[in-house]
């Protein structure tokens, strides 16, 4: 229950360490002095500039539990389609309970939970992603794309195999054709969740749902898994769990996963996967997060941050736009100017990013550094309207990296700005009090190096983006026994 309340608190949370909305306002004498000191220190050594109160978190090592990161990213996936609210956490819960009931080995149960929580990740780049789960026709392609994505993170190699086959019908080899029998558990859990309408008592819906699933016995679904599901539907705790599945993901296999932590490199690898997920939604932003991450990392090193700190900044760059999973695609890709309502929806992505990142224990720095990338030094940014005194130096670095990458990168509808024009934009934004002038000067002093590093990072990310697209466009072989049971 403690975890449930923590998760509830994480909704719309403020930057970690701040407790009230800070409006743009006149700085007091003390604040101005503070700011002068901060800038003075930065001119000398950036490491000393991190001493002001808001950066006392600076020395935290980057280490998080695998289950915490997975649940947070699963919630991010569920932002894509409010129509199927919390599909991934529901499937994670159902699959976990099925695995317990089936007596699967611990190791398989852990991998099953990880895979279930991200099983439809390959549907994110689809135009109709998750809309009412109407992508049955795309079952093979989104399974294939999901596996391609998860394979980019070595820790998720086994989960990738499960995701690859999470719609495989049981009649194709009965778990002996190279498709793990565990993958069939996700299939049944997924189809069970599709039967259940949110906001209605799950227990009342069980008879009708089981009647429909029964038609797929031995054709679509593992018979023993279906039997286990009958047992679960007779258990009042299962129906209660379905009303708040997030609260129950940290027991059983989830508890075992809590013992597994990711170090900085593990976090980077997992976060790179999610930057690919976010960016793959639209060719408009196909490699943006990778560009921001690399430029933030490099700017941090030039500014004097040490290796571990620069790694945290790299992660903040990779995940700064994770909240964009909650922005409708037609707004992300609108060719013209956004109207006021659309702009408000677009701007909410920064708040979503904060909600998601701050919900991960041990991720306070990443949340504050990444999710504040649209805040501006003069208070004109969003979503909190913070001012220079509230913005830690690393958050300013991500803001500069974001603006630089956005104007320098090529997009499908335009080329990136030529260096002279990009330099002028950055200079103007520093002069107008939007971006940190010292950081902009630092970037401009080695502009070509920075631009080359950005380009290389985005070229590497482009390769992965193309692999995902190829997986989605690959010709599928429809499953005959699947069709006959539909
Ligand atoms: Fe799926
Ligand atoms: Fe699904
Ligand atoms: Fe953004």
């Amino acid at each position: 229950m403690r975890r449930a309340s923590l998760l509830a608190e994480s909704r719309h949370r403020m930057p970690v360490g701040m407790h009230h909305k800070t409006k743009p306002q006149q700085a007091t004498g003390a604040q101005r002095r503070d700011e002068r000191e901060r800038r003075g220190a930065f001119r000398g050594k950036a490491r000393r500039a991190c001493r002001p109160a808001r950066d006392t978190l600076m020395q935290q090592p980057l280490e998080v539990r695998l289950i915490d990161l997975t649940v947070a990213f699963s919630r991010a996936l569920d932002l894509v389609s409010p129509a199927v609210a919390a599909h991934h956490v529901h499937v994670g819960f159902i699959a976990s309970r099925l695995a317990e009931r089936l007596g699967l080995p611990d190791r398989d149960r852990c991998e099953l939970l990880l895979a279930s929580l991200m099983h439809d990740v390959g549907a994110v780049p689809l135009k109709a992603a998750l809309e009412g789960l109407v992508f049955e026709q795309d079952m093979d392609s989104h399974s294939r794309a999901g596996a391609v994505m998860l394979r980019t993170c070595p820790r998720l190699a086994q989960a990738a195999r499960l995701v690859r086959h999470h719609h495989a019908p049981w009649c194709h080899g009965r778990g002996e054709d190279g498709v793990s029998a565990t993958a069939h558990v996700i299939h049944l859990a997924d189809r069970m969740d599709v039967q259940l309408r949110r906001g209605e008592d799950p227990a009342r819906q069980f008879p009708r749902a089981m009647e429909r699933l029964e038609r797929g016995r031995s054709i679509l679904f593992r018979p023993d898994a279906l039997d286990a599901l009958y047992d679960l539907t007779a258990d009042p705790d299962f129906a209660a769990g379905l009303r708040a599945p997030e609260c129950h993901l940290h027991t059983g296999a989830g508890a075992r996963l809590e013992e597994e932590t990711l170090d900085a490199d593990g976090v980077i690898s997992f976060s790179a996967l999610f930057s690919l997920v976010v960016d793959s939604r639209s060719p408009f932003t196909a490699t943006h997060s990778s560009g921001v991450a690399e430029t933030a990392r490099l700017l941090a090193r030039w500014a004097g941050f040490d290796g571990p700190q620069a790694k945290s900044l790299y992660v903040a760059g990779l995940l700064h736009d994770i909240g964009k999973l909650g922005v409708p695609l037609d707004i992300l890709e609108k060719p013209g100017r956004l109207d006021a309502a659309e702009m408000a929806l677009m701007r909410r992505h920064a708040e979503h990013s904060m909600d998601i990142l701050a919900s991960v224990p041990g991720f306070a720095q990443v949340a504050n550094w990444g999710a504040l990338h649209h805040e501006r030094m003069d208070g004109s940014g969003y979503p909190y309207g913070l001012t220079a005194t509230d913005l830690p130096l690393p958050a300013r670095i991500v803001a500069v990296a974001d603006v630089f990458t956005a104007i320098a990168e090529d997009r499908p509808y335009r080329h990136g700005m030529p260096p002279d024009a990009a330099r002028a934009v950055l200079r103007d934004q520093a002069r107008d009090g939007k971006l940190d002038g010292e950081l902009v000067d630092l970037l401009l002093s080695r502009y070509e190096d920075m631009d080359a590093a950005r380009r290389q990072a985005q070229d590497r990310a482009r390769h992965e983006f193309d692999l995902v697209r190829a997986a989605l466009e690959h010709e599928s072989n429809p499953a005959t026994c699947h069709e006959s049971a539909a």
Side-chain angles (χ1 to χ4, degrees):
M1 287 317 290
R2 193 182 69 83
R3 184 168 299 278
S5 64
L6 283 177
L7 288 167
E9 281 168 24
S10 76
R11 313 274 183 220
H12 312 299
R13 78 175 67 216
M14 285 291 292
V16 182
M18 298 174 201
H19 305 290
H20 58 87
K21 184 159 177 124
T22 310
K23 292 272 181 206
Q25 57 190 15
Q26 284 295 104
T28 63
Q31 284 171 331
R32 278 196 295 272
R33 219 169 25 252
D34 251 18
E35 181 56 17
R36 275 198 304 275
E37 278 170 18
R38 181 196 292 266
R39 283 173 172 276
F42 175 61
R43 273 184 213 105
K45 282 279 177 195
R47 194 170 302 165
R48 278 186 286 130
C50 297
R51 277 194 197 148
R54 295 193 190 285
D55 270 342
T56 50
L57 298 169
M58 186 56 81
Q59 297 308 321
Q60 279 184 0
L62 188 57
E63 187 179 63
V64 298
R65 292 186 303 198
L66 177 60
I67 185 68
D68 291 331
L69 209 50
T70 309
V71 169
F73 288 168
S74 180
R75 285 180 49 217
L77 287 179
D78 285 334
L79 287 175
V80 174
S81 179
V84 282
H87 176 60
H88 286 87
V89 292
H90 278 79
V91 173
F93 171 73
I94 297 169
S96 253
R97 291 297 171 271
L98 279 172
E100 269 172 34
R101 187 70 58 161
L102 288 164
L104 297 190
D106 282 355
R107 174 79 195 161
D108 289 357
R109 282 163 58 183
C110 290
E111 298 308 311
L112 176 71
L113 179 57
L114 289 177
S116 303
L117 286 170
M118 296 181 282
H119 69 279
D120 278 334
V121 68
V124 171
L126 291 172
K127 277 269 181 242
L130 301 171
E131 286 303 330
L133 299 173
V134 292
F135 49 86
E136 273 86 353
Q137 278 71 18
D138 275 313
M139 279 178 173
D140 201 45
S141 59
H142 84 268
S143 304
R144 195 170 37 235
V148 168
M149 287 170 158
L150 294 191
R151 271 202 296 270
T152 61
C153 175
R155 172 61 187 87
L156 298 175
Q158 176 60 16
R161 278 191 281 277
L162 298 180
V163 165
R164 172 66 189 90
H165 299 291
H166 80 274
H167 284 294
W170 178 248
C171 65
H172 279 189
R174 292 169 170 74
E176 293 170 3
D177 55 349
V179 177
S180 149
T182 314
H184 291 287
V185 175
I186 306 180
H187 187 197
L188 180 59
D190 175 74
R191 292 299 98 185
M192 177 61 167
D193 186 51
V194 170
Q195 306 297 325
L196 301 176
R197 287 182 298 277
R198 301 283 184 264
E200 293 180 29
D201 181 1
R204 283 172 173 268
Q205 302 180 66
F206 287 158
R208 189 176 146 275
M210 293 311 296
E211 190 189 314
R212 298 188 69 163
L213 295 175
E214 181 61 40
R215 292 180 212 152
R217 177 181 286 271
S218 304
I219 303 168
L220 290 178
F221 306 123
R222 263 177 80 162
D224 60 343
L226 201 55
D227 292 341
L229 192 55
Y230 275 109
D231 292 346
L232 284 174
T233 57
D235 178 353
D237 283 349
F238 180 65
L242 279 172
R243 288 195 201 93
E246 262 191 28
C247 308
H248 301 271
L249 292 174
H250 296 266
T251 58
R256 244 159 238 109
L257 283 175
E258 288 200 354
E259 291 161 19
E260 185 174 345
T261 55
L262 295 172
D263 63 8
D265 290 333
V267 172
I268 285 175
S269 152
F270 209 106
S271 303
L273 156 67
F274 260 76
S275 74
L276 173 65
V277 174
V278 172
D279 289 353
S280 70
R281 249 187 116 198
S282 165
F284 283 48
T285 54
T287 61
H288 176 72
S289 300
S290 301
V292 174
E294 180 58 18
T295 50
R297 187 192 67 78
L298 200 53
L299 196 52
R301 291 315 299 261
W302 292 352
F305 286 83
D306 65 20
Q309 292 162 345
K311 280 186 179 179
S312 291
L313 261 151
Y314 186 73
V315 172
L318 287 172
L319 299 176
H320 73 290
D321 269 343
I322 193 168
K324 275 198 177 163
L325 289 172
V327 179
L329 200 56
D330 52 346
I331 293 181
L332 279 184
E333 295 194 336
K334 185 170 175 179
R337 286 182 80 84
L338 300 179
D339 65 28
E342 291 165 339
M343 183 57 85
L345 274 173
M346 175 65 110
R347 287 182 160 203
R348 283 215 60 199
H349 82 271
E351 233 174 305
H352 287 315
S353 290
M354 180 60 82
D355 287 348
I356 293 160
L357 299 177
S359 73
V360 181
F363 241 33
Q365 284 183 333
V366 170
N368 275 353
W369 298 356
L372 301 180
H373 63 281
H374 288 295
E375 299 292 343
R376 292 294 177 260
M377 304 281 284
D378 61 358
S380 63
Y382 63 90
Y384 307 108
L386 302 180
T387 54
T389 48
D390 290 319
L391 287 171
L393 187 59
R396 303 177 191 193
I397 289 178
V398 179
V400 171
D402 185 45
V403 171
F404 164 68
T405 304
I407 58 181
E409 69 191 350
D410 291 331
R411 301 221 169 148
Y413 54 94
R414 59 134 169 96
H415 287 298
M417 268 185 200
D420 284 349
R423 282 193 188 96
V425 169
L426 289 167
R427 232 177 258 122
D428 287 352
Q429 294 217 13
R431 188 202 56 220
D432 295 345
K434 309 290 183 200
L435 297 175
D436 186 304
E438 306 279 349
L439 288 171
V440 167
D441 285 348
L442 192 57
L443 190 157
L444 294 179
S445 70
R446 296 172 68 178
Y447 187 93
E448 287 78 13
D449 293 342
M450 184 62 90
D451 205 31
R454 173 197 66 75
R455 204 178 290 278
Q456 270 181 22
Q458 293 195 272
D459 285 348
R460 282 194 301 272
R462 166 68 60 183
H463 175 67
E464 282 173 352
F465 177 83
D466 289 343
L467 289 178
V468 172
R469 285 277 154 189
L472 283 171
E473 282 154 19
H474 190 273
E475 193 73 25
S476 300
N477 291 322
T480 48
C481 64
H482 168 246
E483 285 169 351
S484 66

